Amino acid sequence: METPKPSVSLIRAKSYEQEALKESLETLLEPLGGMAAFVKPGDRVLLKPNLLTGSRPTKECTTRPELIRAVAEMVIAVGGNPFLGDSPAFGSAKGVAIANGLLPILEELNIPIVEFHGKRYQTVNDNFNHLLLSKEVMDADVIINLPKVKSHMQLTLTLGVKNLFGCVPGKMKAWWHMEAGKDANRFGEMLVETAKTINPDLTILDGIIGHEGNGPSGGEPRNLEVLAASTNVFALDRAMLEVLKVAPAQVPTVAVSQRLGICPELSEINFPNLSPDLLQIPDWQLPETLMPIDFAMPRVIKSTFRHLYIRFIKEPMSAYIR
């Protein structure tokens, strides 16, 4: 029996305005069966946005609060119980959520924010016989991955697969950078294995406004007017490379997933709405210079102390001042 092609739903979406965005998301998910195809009454649903940083809230470094709200409302409408979680590079998920204006939305919808804690999970990869992933992620009934389209100074682009690295708790991310050395392919394979193990039920990509240039946080906003969704995060990333006109070989997560036979070719993907060529961005800006993957020990130590300072001193003081 022939295996059905993975579907990637692509649409043009121009606004984060609540009603317009709700309509866009309904159009986006309709070919995939709508939210009810993924969430059943009583399901605990993890919303995993990109909450990289709270330091540049106007620069589109994180998934937009409006998108998170709209997806959460769709989950609630079909009887699901959403909760939000991430493991930012610096600070806590709650601290970054507050800095990016998410707290009023979460309080209004009664959506808890969870901090991720690690647990070892076995894999079937010869190079990675286990991964330390968030127990909160793996215990969720449904995982909805909500990445942001961004350029990335180490991995060229960060899309759906890379966003799931946020399910690696705390400073384990920095240690993975150090362990991978300068081998972008090994680091990419770890990211691919992480995404494969987590296996999100649905990925909805925020590309209405992206972040180009020296990302993931040092670039600038760029209007793309794109939303994408798929049950196959690898197919979604491959489709978005076509939209951005970036070669798969330039993006380690895509290159590795193709080598491992996980990522389909474009001809093997079904596009029920728009095809990538109708949404192409001819001049998307990649980083000026790519940085090495590896974090030397001093950088890991410095990064760890910065994380602890933000989480346990700066964030509590900010809350006290307010």
Side-chain angles (χ1 to χ4, degrees), residues 44 110 118 171 180 187 199 215 223 276:
R44 294 182 65 254
N110 196 29
K171 299 315 295 176
F187 190 72
N199 191 25
N223 286 334

Side-chain angles (χ1 to χ4, degrees), residues 64-310:
R64 281 289 285 258
E66 297 94 331
L67 182 72
I68 296 170
R69 178 189 189 118
V71 173
E73 288 178 338
M74 295 176 82
V75 169
I76 293 168
V78 296
N81 300 311
F83 65 99
L84 184 138
D86 195 8
S87 181
F90 301 107
S92 66
K94 184 174 182 179
V96 175
I98 290 171
N100 285 283
L102 260 171
L103 195 60
I105 293 171
L106 300 178
E107 288 179 343
E108 178 187 341
L109 298 178
N110 196 29
I111 298 173
I113 304 174
V114 301
E115 305 294 339
F116 288 165
H117 303 90
K119 181 179 176 180
R120 289 164 68 98
Y121 290 89
Q122 292 298 123
T123 72
V124 294
N125 186 299
D126 291 338
N127 294 323
F128 306 100
N129 61 8
H130 76 275
L131 292 168
L132 188 68
L133 301 174
S134 163
K135 183 177 185 299
E136 292 77 10
V137 173
M138 302 303 285
D139 287 349
D141 297 314
V142 179
I143 299 170
I144 299 181
N145 184 25
L146 298 173
K148 184 79 168 179
V149 178
K150 298 192 292 182
S151 292
H152 195 287
M153 291 187 69
Q154 291 175 308
L155 295 163
T156 308
L157 284 171
T158 169
L159 300 165
V161 170
K162 174 62 171 64
N163 192 54
L164 294 167
F165 193 40
C167 299
V168 174
K171 299 315 295 176
M172 274 302 299
K173 291 189 286 295
W175 287 99
W176 263 118
H177 276 276
M178 186 176 70
E179 194 277 342
K182 291 181 170 59
D183 189 347
N185 284 325
R186 176 168 169 76
F187 190 72
E189 187 170 348
M190 181 275 299
L191 294 174
V192 167
E193 191 63 37
T194 296
K196 191 172 74 168
T197 302
I198 293 169
N199 191 25
D201 298 273
L202 176 64
T203 296
I204 300 174
L205 184 77
D206 178 7
I208 297 177
I209 304 177
H211 182 90
E212 68 176 359
N214 294 326
S217 62
E220 294 296 328
R222 170 71 183 275
N223 286 334
L224 295 178
E225 300 182 352
V226 174
L227 284 175
S230 182
T231 60
N232 186 322
V233 67
F234 301 103
L236 183 146
D237 280 11
R238 178 64 188 91
M240 282 306 301
L241 261 60
E242 198 68 14
V243 171
L244 300 173
K245 300 190 74 172
V246 176
Q250 290 183 263
V251 183
T253 50
V254 178
V256 169
S257 63
Q258 286 187 326
R259 175 171 59 81
L260 295 176
I262 299 170
C263 178
E265 297 295 335
L266 274 179
S267 60
E268 299 170 332
I269 301 173
N270 177 46
F271 296 104
N273 283 315
L274 298 180
S275 57
D277 60 293
L278 297 177
L279 295 165
Q280 280 186 336
I281 307 297
D283 56 351
W284 174 261
Q285 297 300 304
L286 296 175
E288 296 170 4
T289 305
L290 289 179
M291 294 172 56
I293 290 292
D294 65 319
F295 286 2
M297 180 61 76
R299 182 172 177 181
V300 172
I301 294 171
K302 181 179 178 181
S303 172
T304 300
F305 274 103
R306 182 182 172 194
H307 170 75
L308 294 173
Y309 166 74
I310 292 174

